[in-house]
Amino acid sequence: MRNLLFIDGAFVESLRGGFLDVLDPATGESFAQAAAGTGADVDAAVLAARRAFDHGQWPRMAAASRAAILRRVATEIRANLEQLSVLEMRDNGKPLKEARWDIADAAFCFDYYADMAEQVEAEGETAVDVGDERFACRIRKEPLGVVGAITPWNFPLLMAAWKVAPALAAGCCIVLKPSELCPLSCAELARYLHDAGLPPGVFNLVTGLGTEAGAPLSEHPGVDKLAFTGSQATGSRVMQAAARDIRNVSLELGGKSPFIVFADCDLDKAVEWSQFGVFWNQGQICSATSRLLVERPVYEALLLKLKEAAERIVIGPGDQEGVQMGPLVSELQCCRVLEGIASGIASGARLVTGGGRPSHLRQGYFVEPTIFADVATDSWIWREEVFGPVLCLHPFDTEEEAIALANDSRFGLAGAVMSDDLARCDRVAKALRAGVVWINCSQPTFTQLPWGGYKASGIGRELGRHGYEAFLEVKQITRFDHTQDWNWYQPLVNQI
Ligand code: NAD
């Protein structure tokens, strides 16, 4: 299977003609190829998007017309749910059941933003009374322009949908650069958008390496907004590129999110949610609640239950019946996670379970679910994102201490708290410096709610209404009633 670029409404080879192999993480073998886009392809894609935005119909058409196309895409994703899920599973390694969740969520995202476009257009412009009847003032919102979207490999189609659906709904035109590790479902998305009747140039796909295709996109002066999801290191580069010409930027970056477990909660439920919080998607979750803070009286009891539960997790290729954890996405990612584990051992943390590759799997990038106890809060493994199935535990004695430990991080994407005392949960939820807080659960994510981080976890919000407004510019229009007098040297009272 050879996937092409999609530029100006046509599927084309990269101008340099190269392709990248796409590997199945369960075997390490190549099963597809994707075009290796470079700066010249990015130029062509941005030019097409620029033309579509500056002169085309898309930003100017009624929201209902844009919404109809987005709904067709949602329908097409649902119609191909099984095929897309299998593709996502082979590309990324995740268990098939989890791939199905992602694909269904991506379809929902297109429907949701189709509705949002119509709703926001129906709300119309907002009149503002400035206290001077000679002036009629209003606020209108307009599509922001050409968007350069750069996405990661952990939820390939879903992370793209979080940007493509609201950007298109808002009337923007877009160039998408998915991760070179998992580009295949985005290539399918290009087909659906094309078949749904999207005008040429409105959506463009440039697959390829970060340095070859991502960097030129982030540096391109024809892009009005960069919407990036990925690591902090790359996010910083993207932001620097945006800073050069003062372009809009949103960043969805990593985290090291805390999960505070109080002694009064049901320990079995705490086990279930903390497992899901860090082992789902092989732990390759930006919002993974990978720092487990446990109230001292239940620390050892919870640890034992967590160990038993982790050792019951079935690891294997994502298409095998009953598999709960697949391989990590790549050999490099596998090595990084194993290095992180080695640093945990070197720091003196107690390795409770896991710590290596499962012995029964001879090929593929599998890593055992790993739990460390008594992790020093100044160690690398406690402070940095592992992006793999590694859970770190640390005890606490008081609510204040738990909050202080939870907030002692340069990240602030998410946090979770578990207790039967809901008043306490609310206090903790308010005190956590994070963009997402879960009470008595970890990870449930809804398209209707804003998503994004405090501190080094990012800038801006995706999803919900916030994720739509992120693709709009705000304009004030102020009209003077020219039948009235105006003495230019007499300043307006409220401006003195
Ligand atoms: P990454 O930063 O390596 O890559 C992300 C994207 O950037 C890829 O498409 C890559 O090709 C591209 N890229 C690489 N170098 C580039 C450059 N110099 N200029 C422009 N683009 C470049 O991240 P990853 O390994 O794909 O994803 C994992 C990271 O993403 C983790 O840190 C994770 O926490 C984060 N993430 C965050 C969220 C969120 O919503 N906050 C969601 C998913 C993943």
Side-chain angles (χ1 to χ4, degrees):
M1 190 185 0
R2 277 194 145 192
N3 292 276
L4 301 177
L5 309 177
F6 181 65
I7 297 176
D8 209 10
F11 290 93
V12 293
E13 281 200 21
S14 155
L15 287 166
R16 269 210 215 144
F19 283 88
L20 297 171
D21 281 329
V22 181
L23 307 186
D24 179 341
T27 61
E29 282 161 17
S30 167
F31 72 102
Q33 288 193 314
T38 66
D41 303 304
V42 168
D43 282 346
V46 173
L47 190 70
R50 202 61 275 162
R51 215 168 25 232
F53 186 79
D54 293 337
H55 309 293
Q57 277 311 300
W58 188 253
R60 293 157 194 91
M61 67 173 56
S65 307
R66 288 200 298 270
I69 290 181
L70 297 186
R71 289 194 184 105
R72 259 176 249 147
V73 173
T75 304
E76 203 56 23
I77 294 174
R78 279 195 198 98
N80 290 283
L81 192 135
E82 203 50 32
Q83 177 212 327
L84 271 172
S85 304
V86 170
L87 194 67
E88 203 79 312
M89 174 207 69
R90 281 205 83 187
D91 207 355
N92 169 279
K94 61 181 69 201
L96 187 55
K97 187 174 83 177
E98 295 184 15
R100 289 191 188 113
W101 298 342
D102 295 1
I103 303 301
D105 274 3
F108 182 80
C109 191
F110 277 90
D111 272 340
Y112 174 78
Y113 282 110
D115 293 350
M116 178 76 67
E118 290 177 330
Q119 180 198 320
V120 173
E121 187 178 86
E123 286 169 13
E125 299 175 349
T126 311
V128 178
D129 182 354
V130 294
D132 184 331
E133 61 191 18
R134 296 172 303 168
F135 291 92
C137 302
R138 60 204 159 97
I139 299 168
R140 67 179 259 111
K141 296 192 176 160
E142 298 179 346
L144 196 148
V146 170
V147 175
I150 302 177
T151 52
W153 44 259
N154 58 342
F155 298 93
L157 186 68
L158 191 58
M159 290 299 102
W162 285 15
K163 299 182 194 320
V164 174
L168 292 183
C172 292
C173 297
I174 189 162
V175 179
L176 171 66
K177 207 304 275 174
S179 167
E180 57 274 29
L181 294 178
C182 301
L184 302 181
S185 53
C186 288
E188 290 300 302
L189 177 64
R191 279 185 257 285
Y192 302 156
L193 285 161
H194 178 250
D195 294 348
L198 197 74
V202 173
F203 171 86
N204 306 273
L205 176 77
V206 180
T207 50
L209 296 173
T211 46
E212 298 275 314
L217 181 59
S218 61
E219 287 158 12
H220 206 294
V223 172
D224 298 307
K225 175 185 171 115
L226 288 158
F228 174 80
T229 301
S231 63
Q232 193 195 334
T234 312
S236 170
R237 276 185 213 113
V238 168
M239 194 169 171
Q240 284 174 43
R244 214 176 37 218
D245 326 298
I246 315 296
R247 283 174 295 130
N248 193 312
V249 64
S250 68
L251 302 174
E252 296 289 342
L253 309 175
K256 189 77 186 182
S257 299
F259 190 157
I260 302 173
V261 176
F262 285 96
D264 65 353
C265 74
D266 179 330
L267 287 194
D268 291 324
K269 288 188 178 145
V271 169
E272 204 176 314
W273 283 112
S274 46
Q275 280 212 108
F276 187 60
V278 72
F279 295 148
W280 168 54
N281 208 34
Q282 296 68 248
Q284 302 163 132
I285 326 161
C286 50
S287 55
T289 37
S290 50
R291 289 188 293 144
L292 194 63
L293 290 155
V294 187
E295 202 169 7
R296 202 175 299 270
V298 294
Y299 184 75
E300 288 299 334
L302 183 67
L303 189 55
L304 187 63
K305 281 177 180 282
L306 280 166
K307 171 179 159 40
E308 287 167 0
E311 288 170 0
R312 279 197 300 271
I313 291 175
V314 181
I315 314 178
D319 57 351
Q320 272 181 20
E321 197 57 36
V323 157
Q324 294 162 298
M325 195 186 270
L328 300 189
V329 73
S330 67
E331 179 144 36
L332 179 65
Q333 188 62 19
C334 187
C335 292
R336 279 184 186 152
V337 170
L338 292 172
E339 274 169 26
I341 292 171
S343 97
I345 294 169
S347 73
R350 176 162 46 122
L351 181 64
V352 176
T353 189
R357 294 177 182 241
S359 53
H360 68 287
L361 292 161
R362 295 232 164 76
Q363 53 174 10
Y365 313 129
F366 297 91
V367 173
E368 294 170 314
T370 297
I371 299 178
F372 282 110
D374 314 338
V375 181
T377 57
D378 60 355
S379 61
W380 186 94
I381 194 97
W382 182 261
R383 306 200 74 81
E384 298 301 326
E385 185 180 47
V386 177
F387 223 55
V390 180
L391 180 63
C392 294
L393 270 78
H394 189 88
F396 71 86
D397 293 299
T398 65
E399 185 179 316
E400 293 69 32
E401 185 194 3
I403 291 167
L405 285 168
N407 283 337
D408 180 18
S409 170
R410 65 195 172 88
F411 297 111
L413 182 54
V417 52
M418 195 144 203
S419 166
D420 280 354
D421 178 349
L422 291 185
R424 171 156 63 187
C425 288
D426 276 339
R427 277 196 308 275
V428 173
K430 285 182 192 150
L432 289 180
R433 299 272 302 146
V436 179
V437 178
W438 289 290
I439 295 177
N440 290 337
C441 61
S442 175
Q443 306 306 318
T445 300
F446 299 96
T447 312
Q448 301 90 333
L449 294 173
W451 180 271
Y454 286 21
K455 302 193 261 182
S457 289
I459 294 178
R461 292 292 178 273
E462 295 196 314
L463 296 185
R465 172 111 183 195
H466 291 82
Y468 183 76
E469 304 246 345
F471 293 101
L472 295 174
E473 278 287 15
V474 179
K475 179 183 276 179
Q476 64 142 300
I477 299 181
T478 297
R479 189 183 76 212
F480 180 64
D481 177 356
H482 58 71
T483 65
Q484 303 282 325
D485 287 339
W486 171 248
N487 294 325
W488 70 268
Y489 49 85
Q490 225 171 15
L492 286 174
V493 175
N494 67 0
Q495 285 182 353
I496 295 172

